[in-house]
Amino acid sequence: MKEYAMDTLQADYVATGHYAQLWHRNNTSYAGSGSSHLSSQGNSNFYEWMKERSRVLEQAVRKSIAGRPEEEWILNNNPRHHPDNSTIRYPMLIAGADRSKDQSYFLSGVKSEAFRNVIFPLGHLAKSQTTLDNTIRNNPHHHDSNSSNHQQQSVRELAHEANIPTASKRDSMGICFIGKRNFGNFVSQYLPEPAPPGNFVDVDTGEVVGRHEGAMHYTVGQGAKISGATVRYFVCGKGGGGSFGRNTTEGDTSNTTVFVCDNTHHPALYTDELFVDFDSFNWIGLGGNESIGDRDCHIPHPLLEGQSIKLLARTRHLQPLVSCTVTWKQYHDGHHHGRRNLIVHFDKPMRAITPGQIVALYAGNDGLICLGGGPIKGRGASFMDRGILDTALSELHPSGHNDL
């Protein structure tokens, strides 16, 4: 869509309705991709709006990392390639002002290059007056161009003024292209062959407690809904080769096994570490120039210098952010010579970390800056594996509304 708009329609920018923000740090980039549209009198307001948004977001970013010298590298990453800000090309991804609608987690996998000539006009607005009030209440340092946030209009209010038919339509909480259809049935239509059935196995006793119609229908952390079960079970692992294989009933170690536990805060669901293939993590807006052939040009330079960095992370959409320490290591073996792992160690135990899902990393004292995201390759040993069976709830990281 962007290529069509830029190449065929000769557009300067593409606007989408995502609840996130982009800090376009180079004022000269407002001239677009060579067209003269933005220099016309009719677009002068847009040009001024872009400059104002850039000013506001720069102020917000600097305030967010103020007093945090360990994060000052963000403003001028990889100085060996880019000695001053004027040469940084890519926008920085900023969380939406309405944190209850923030979509930076979903955007964390988008390449920096794709954000050039893109704007999110709704990112600095709240969806409704209620969420605006909550944003101001929960974040007294809420950044916006208005001197009085209470006078700022919400998206719904603007839509009502413009007589847009969907102004009062209820929020959609599901997957828009699936609608009310059964998710499992929808996904099954696109599998090359039917998912094989298997057993639910209690992780504590090793006993088979039920049957399922395919492990692909379940993800770690969700309720298992086992027919006839007298207790509520939660999925804590899949596959006979995993860390729970030792607990399986004899002869039941196939990849179709789904391991379950009988408590939403069972220690089998918690760990404090995960791993991402270093080269698969998508760093956003940290400078660098891939055209010079440096594959590490977007990576935080403290990491490249062997230092750890303190950041914030989430592994689910809208999950409360948790403090973490990020490091990396290189390993060599016969199959993966020179491969690198990004290691994320959490300050609090995290629930239901699932390989294949995304971890997004954030910086700033309020998680304002989304540095990118990548697919989880694996997780550290669970608290059950480590024999930690009595962790107090107060020591666990809040799971988020979509985990329980």
Side-chain angles (χ1 to χ4, degrees):
M1 180 183 73
K2 181 185 174 185
E3 290 181 359
Y4 178 81
M6 304 291 289
D7 299 339
T8 303
L9 302 180
Q10 294 295 296
D12 293 298
Y13 282 83
V14 173
T16 75
H18 289 93
Y19 282 96
Q21 304 177 85
L22 288 170
W23 175 24
H24 292 269
R25 289 176 282 177
N26 287 15
N27 290 350
T28 56
S29 70
Y30 298 152
S33 57
S35 70
S36 60
H37 298 161
L38 289 181
S39 62
S40 66
Q41 184 62 37
N43 284 306
S44 61
N45 289 340
F46 172 77
Y47 181 79
E48 292 302 319
W49 181 84
M50 285 289 291
K51 289 199 298 183
E52 175 64 8
R53 292 311 307 160
S54 178
R55 183 192 66 79
V56 169
L57 289 174
E58 177 178 6
Q59 183 183 44
V61 168
R62 292 186 180 279
K63 187 172 184 178
S64 182
I65 65 175
R68 299 168 65 90
E70 69 275 13
E71 292 183 345
E72 291 179 354
W73 58 266
I74 293 172
L75 294 176
N76 188 25
N77 191 55
N78 289 327
R80 65 183 185 276
H81 297 318
H82 301 282
D84 63 286
N85 253 10
S86 65
T87 59
I88 296 176
R89 297 182 177 184
Y90 301 126
M92 183 175 286
L93 180 60
I94 306 298
D98 187 343
R99 293 301 180 93
S100 69
K101 300 295 181 183
D102 174 40
Q103 292 180 308
S104 61
Y105 176 80
F106 292 120
L107 295 167
S108 65
V110 177
K111 298 294 184 183
S112 295
E113 170 66 23
F115 284 131
R116 296 186 67 191
N117 304 97
V118 172
I119 58 173
F120 300 145
L122 304 184
H124 66 293
L125 302 173
K127 180 68 175 288
S128 66
Q129 188 60 46
T130 299
T131 55
L132 173 60
D133 292 341
N134 289 338
T135 297
I136 297 170
R137 184 181 307 111
N138 296 329
N139 182 13
H141 302 296
H142 173 60
H143 310 286
D144 198 81
S145 56
N146 285 325
S147 59
S148 175
N149 285 315
H150 291 281
Q151 296 177 358
Q152 179 183 325
Q153 288 182 291
S154 68
V155 173
R156 287 197 180 278
E157 288 171 333
L158 292 171
H160 275 294
E161 286 186 3
N163 294 317
I164 297 176
T166 57
S168 300
K169 186 178 179 180
R170 291 177 57 187
D171 288 351
S172 173
M173 302 302 290
I175 303 176
C176 59
F177 57 85
I178 293 181
K180 296 182 179 180
R181 288 175 290 183
N182 179 276
F183 181 77
N185 294 339
F186 176 83
V187 173
S188 297
Q189 299 175 35
Y190 298 91
L191 296 178
E193 57 186 33
N199 292 327
F200 287 114
V201 174
D202 188 308
V203 72
D204 290 307
T205 66
E207 296 179 355
V208 175
V209 294
R211 294 282 292 171
H212 62 77
E213 296 302 316
M216 51 79 61
H217 295 299
Y218 299 91
T219 189
V220 175
Q222 77 173 90
K225 297 182 180 178
I226 301 174
S227 177
T230 57
V231 298
R232 186 182 182 191
Y233 282 106
F234 297 85
V235 176
C236 59
K238 296 193 291 184
S243 60
F244 304 128
R246 68 184 190 282
N247 293 321
T248 60
T249 301
E250 184 176 356
D252 183 24
T253 57
S254 69
N255 289 331
T256 62
T257 300
V258 174
F259 296 97
V260 293
C261 53
D262 61 2
N263 190 314
T264 189
H265 294 301
H266 192 285
L269 284 167
Y270 284 88
T271 186
D272 56 10
E273 195 170 60
L274 62 79
F275 315 97
V276 179
D277 185 271
F278 194 91
D279 297 319
S280 297
F281 194 90
N282 179 57
W283 298 101
I284 297 174
L286 294 181
N289 186 349
E290 291 177 327
S291 65
I292 66 175
D294 184 355
R295 68 172 180 164
D296 293 339
C297 59
H298 292 297
I299 297 172
H301 69 257
L303 283 181
L304 295 179
E305 294 169 358
Q307 304 173 34
S308 62
I309 51 178
K310 290 288 293 183
L311 297 173
L312 299 168
R314 63 166 49 107
T315 60
R316 298 283 196 279
H317 172 52
L318 297 183
Q319 182 185 51
L321 292 168
V322 62
S323 297
C324 63
T325 301
V326 179
T327 57
W328 71 281
K329 69 177 180 179
Q330 189 163 346
Y331 59 94
H332 303 268
D333 58 39
H335 301 287
H336 303 292
H337 180 73
R339 295 292 296 272
R340 303 180 290 182
N341 267 348
L342 193 71
I343 304 169
V344 181
H345 186 87
F346 301 101
D347 288 3
K348 285 191 173 185
M350 292 283 283
R351 182 182 184 275
I353 290 176
T354 307
Q357 295 187 354
I358 300 297
V359 57
L361 298 177
Y362 294 78
N365 59 11
D366 51 0
L368 181 72
I369 308 158
C370 181
L371 297 177
I376 298 170
K377 180 180 179 180
R379 71 173 195 173
S382 73
F383 274 34
M384 179 181 180
D385 289 331
R386 293 159 58 182
I388 305 174
L389 307 178
D390 56 355
T391 304
L393 287 178
S394 60
E395 299 178 17
L396 303 175
H397 177 62
S399 298
H401 67 86
N402 54 352
D403 272 346
L404 303 181

